[in-house]
Amino acid sequence: MTAHALAGALADERRRTVFAAIVLGARDVPAVVARTGLPARDAAVAVRRLTDAGVLADDEGGLRVDAERLREFARAGAAAPAVPAANPRAAILRTFLRDGALTRLPAQRGRRRVLLEHITERTFEPGRRYPEREVDDALRRWCEGGEADHVTLRRYLIDDMLLTREQGVYWRTGP
């Protein structure tokens, strides 16, 4: 990221407002909206642009200022380290997951695959066998409050060969 890119990321008043809300503890877009009074769409766009610019990070704990990147920028003086290309996997997960729950399933197969792999990695242990009831319970948690249902999610996991089913017993077969 160059000094120009950092300045550009923070040049917009809405992005500065969102940045300040996150510095003060907002960890997701609804919290940013509550703190700033910005429309949800404006807050989400600002978060995405700040994340893409490398100013914010979105990880297991939610949104946070990427303090290490800012320190690197400060140490470098006028020129900060280059920002790696936007992480498409993270962007897909940000789009289709909210607070650890699936909002909806992507229509595009490639995006859906990224999401299904994420769910599989976080839900099922390699080598372990699961009865159907346990699989359904685990997938229901992903679907709470969203448009997708656990049966459809289970079908996609099987169709994409991330789970295998035999006589009501499931196991992880994907990456």
Side-chain angles (χ1 to χ4, degrees):
M1 173 187 298
T2 65
H4 181 65
L6 178 62
L10 294 171
D12 180 77
E13 183 174 334
R14 286 171 295 200
R15 289 193 294 264
R16 282 193 312 273
T17 301
V18 166
F19 180 83
I22 293 167
V23 166
L24 295 173
R27 294 292 170 250
D28 57 18
V29 173
V32 168
V33 169
R35 284 185 186 250
T36 64
L38 288 171
R41 180 177 171 84
D42 290 352
V45 167
V47 164
R48 182 177 47 81
R49 289 193 177 152
L50 290 168
T51 303
D52 290 346
V55 176
L56 298 180
D58 189 4
D59 53 29
E60 302 290 318
L63 295 169
R64 64 177 176 76
V65 173
D66 191 339
E68 183 57 36
R69 183 165 309 283
L70 293 178
R71 276 192 289 278
E72 289 172 8
F73 177 76
R75 280 193 296 265
V83 173
N87 181 346
R89 185 175 195 270
I92 291 167
L93 297 177
R94 254 194 330 272
T95 301
F96 296 101
L97 294 175
R98 290 286 180 262
D99 300 322
L102 183 60
T103 57
R104 66 186 191 281
L105 286 166
Q108 291 179 334
R109 190 174 191 288
R111 289 181 176 191
R112 189 171 54 238
R113 177 67 185 209
V114 167
L115 191 63
L116 293 172
E117 286 175 358
H118 175 83
I119 290 169
T120 301
E121 291 164 1
R122 282 163 179 70
T123 308
F124 304 105
E125 296 174 30
R128 181 167 172 223
R129 303 220 175 229
Y130 297 86
E132 187 166 334
R133 178 187 292 279
E134 197 173 335
V135 170
D136 286 348
D137 289 344
L139 296 179
R140 271 190 196 98
R141 286 191 291 274
W142 283 100
C143 297
E144 288 176 356
E147 296 175 16
D149 66 278
H150 72 283
V151 175
T152 302
L153 182 55
R154 186 181 67 206
R155 169 58 43 211
Y156 277 125
L157 290 170
I158 291 167
D159 289 349
D160 274 28
M161 295 184 279
L162 295 167
L163 284 184
T164 298
R165 175 182 60 202
E166 187 176 298
Q167 298 177 352
V169 177
Y170 295 75
W171 61 93
R172 180 174 159 182
T173 51

